[in-house]
Amino acid sequence: MQTPNDLPSFSIMRCFEAAAKNQSFTAAADELGLTQGAVSRQVKDLEEQLGLALFTRAGRGVRLTRAGEALATNLARDLSKLRNTILQAVSAGQAQELLSIAVPPTFASRWMIPRLRDFTKAYPNLETMLISHSEPFDLQQRSVDLAIHFGHDDWPGAQLTPLCPENLVVVASPELIRSNPQNRQADILNLPLLHISSRPHLWSQFQTSLGLDGPNTRRGSYFDQFSLVISAAIHALGAAILPTYLIENELASGALLPLAPVADQSGQNYYMVTPLGERSAKTQAFMRWLKANVKNRPA
């Protein structure tokens, strides 16, 4: 008989986690390399152990119940912490330290990772583990040493240290500029406009900074990822407002040309976020490295 102290097997918990994340037993099976029937059986076993319905049928897929949503949220956090704990144990067994860093995906791929080799060369006995994140979370619960945060000074239960402001610039491809000559900054607003969905106000801010009423700046194409905006700008679909750190290579190669700086009036900045309390020596070393590198970032 199942007792309150019994825990489901790790394989059962992984199946539930994957099914909850994908809202599909079939997609969970593909992710885990199992059959759809095996995932379904594991989830059913978990429901029987807990005495709870965790999913309901929704068309051809499944949907979490309220109890399932609560379990999925807590289990994802706990499994993430467990993975970090295991990685740290492996690192300790190899007589090395592990520095876990949570980073917004685009910041990681476009700015941090291209520079990270310099840090690892300077600290050869310090392994780094990058974890992507988009929202604040409990650093201590997930055993994360440091996070990069873009926004306001609003990460609860943590220490925030300013890193740098965001440098925004209007850019366009040489092809688009050749076909639409720009004599004044105001002419930029006549170009096709590219927008990042999470920050649709940027073009209207630029228009206001020029003291213009002008055309409707909400027109144009919208994308939910900066990487898509960059690709669209490179291929002459329109002009874009982008942080310079995302397009350092494109600016250097001439694939994108700067047309005008943009003053971001949102009050948002980049921050280094650490758990409350004294910072470890490895965390302080990484923070010094970050500060040194942002000083050399193109404006």
Side-chain angles (χ1 to χ4, degrees), residues 171-239:
V171 295
S173 70
E175 179 184 349
L176 184 67
I177 294 171
R178 281 195 301 270
S179 59
N180 297 271
Q182 307 297 300
N183 298 317
R184 303 168 303 151
Q185 285 192 342
D187 294 334
I188 294 171
L189 297 172
N190 296 320
L191 295 171
L193 303 183
L194 306 176
H195 303 261
I196 181 73
S197 300
S198 60
R199 300 172 72 179
H201 61 280
L202 289 178
W203 279 110
S204 60
Q205 282 189 357
F206 176 67
Q207 183 182 54
T208 301
S209 72
L210 298 179
L212 298 174
D213 293 328
N216 176 17
T217 57
R218 292 301 179 101
R219 76 187 195 286
S221 302
Y222 285 76
F223 304 86
D224 67 351
Q225 298 288 332
F226 270 125
S227 59
L228 298 178
V229 179
I230 294 168
S231 181
I234 291 171
H235 290 89
L237 293 181

Side-chain angles (χ1 to χ4, degrees), residues 101-108 130-137 139 142 144 146-150 155 271 273:
I101 311 156
V103 197
T106 309
F107 186 93
L130 267 61
I131 306 161
S132 64
H133 83 91
S134 57
E135 298 292 337
F137 60 90
L139 297 174
R142 290 179 56 179
V144 169
L146 181 142
I148 301 297
H149 171 59
F150 177 73
W155 193 305
Y271 293 91
V273 188

